[in-house]
Amino acid sequence: MRRLTTMGLVVRATKTGEADRALSILTPGHGVISAMAKGSLRLKSKLFSGTGLFCYSEFLLFEGKTMYTVDAASVKEVFWGVHESVENMALAMYLAEFAAALAPAGEEAEPVLRLLLNCLYYLNEKKRPPRLIKAIFELRALSQSGFMPNLVACEDCVKYEGEPFFFDVPRGVLYCASCAAKRGLQPNLDASALAAMRHIVYAEDRKLFAFTLGQESTRQLGAVASQYVMQCVDRPFKSQEFLETVL
Ligand SMILES: [Zn+2]
């Protein structure tokens, strides 16, 4: 039997049988791994604390015919704050489903795992509002996956600042207010929302969360990011509908 030791974030944990958990674990080197944590729902189980939803643990796995079995799980980080409110939980479930969709089994998934861990950290610590965390994840994850929008300047006149802009969702490009008006379009990003969107798409990893945004600009950014997700992904995420009812 092949053994695998890896760090991983539990992005799905479903109770099966008496006290087992069927897990989806997002790993840096192997994408999403399906694994069974036998007996892990028993309080005395050595797997109890490391195999819960949104636990970031070091796993020792054995490869079976159809899935892995968890032999050991040593917890490194638990995002307890995520479980505190329905809003946080719904957002975390959505981000986890989104990340898993971008990380097929067997493929390298370090960038999306790191992004998800950072988003859960900011959500857990209440350091940024959930709506902003959602937009940051969406725009950054899509940019990392081959859907980077072109936010440098107006597509028609190369103007790059000084007024609200229109982000053309289907084409992934910008138009300044005057060029948008000529096309019969209303701007959908004020100056702050555009600056934030540029930051999310172009900033270095370690500076990604180093900005704040007012409420109205966050609303505009969030609306554009949601539309861009619909444009780029094949089908809506299951967790999205519920999230929209609570956020
Ligand atoms: Zn223009």
Side-chain angles (χ1 to χ4, degrees), residues 15-127:
K15 185 185 179 218
T16 63
E18 274 285 284
D20 305 340
R21 284 184 182 117
L23 307 180
S24 297
I25 306 168
L26 180 58
T27 67
H30 305 271
V32 175
I33 285 178
S34 299
M36 187 61 78
K38 287 191 182 128
S40 64
L41 284 167
R42 292 196 183 94
L43 284 166
K44 282 181 181 167
S45 166
K46 65 184 166 77
L47 299 180
F48 181 79
S49 60
T51 57
L53 186 59
F54 304 125
C55 283
Y56 183 57
S57 305
E58 186 180 52
F59 291 93
L60 172 59
L61 305 167
F62 287 113
E63 191 174 8
K65 281 205 180 87
T66 55
M67 61 161 60
Y68 285 87
T69 304
V70 182
D71 189 59
S74 141
V75 66
K76 294 283 179 280
E77 182 90 60
V78 192
F79 301 99
W80 290 117
V82 167
H83 298 261
E84 270 171 19
S85 73
V86 175
E87 190 188 38
N88 284 1
M89 194 62 182
L91 177 56
M93 299 286 284
Y94 168 76
L95 300 182
E97 188 185 352
F98 200 141
L102 296 176
E107 284 180 29
E108 209 264 336
E110 208 269 334
V112 72
L113 173 60
R114 189 156 18 109
L115 176 62
L116 179 56
L117 287 169
N118 283 330
C119 286
L120 292 178
Y121 168 79
Y122 277 84
L123 187 62
N124 191 53
E125 301 287 321
K126 302 185 181 67
K127 282 177 182 282

Side-chain angles (χ1 to χ4, degrees), residues 9 11 19 50 75 84 101 134 187 192 213 238 245 247:
L9 177 73
V11 290
V75 66
E84 270 171 19
K134 177 174 183 276
S192 307
L213 194 60
K238 279 185 227 149
T245 64
L247 204 59

Side-chain angles (χ1 to χ4, degrees), residues 153-173:
C154 171
E155 192 70 1
D156 282 349
C157 74
V158 304
K159 186 170 185 170
Y160 63 92
E161 60 180 357
E163 50 182 282
F165 275 70
F166 176 77
F167 178 67
D168 184 322
V169 169
R171 296 187 58 212
V173 298

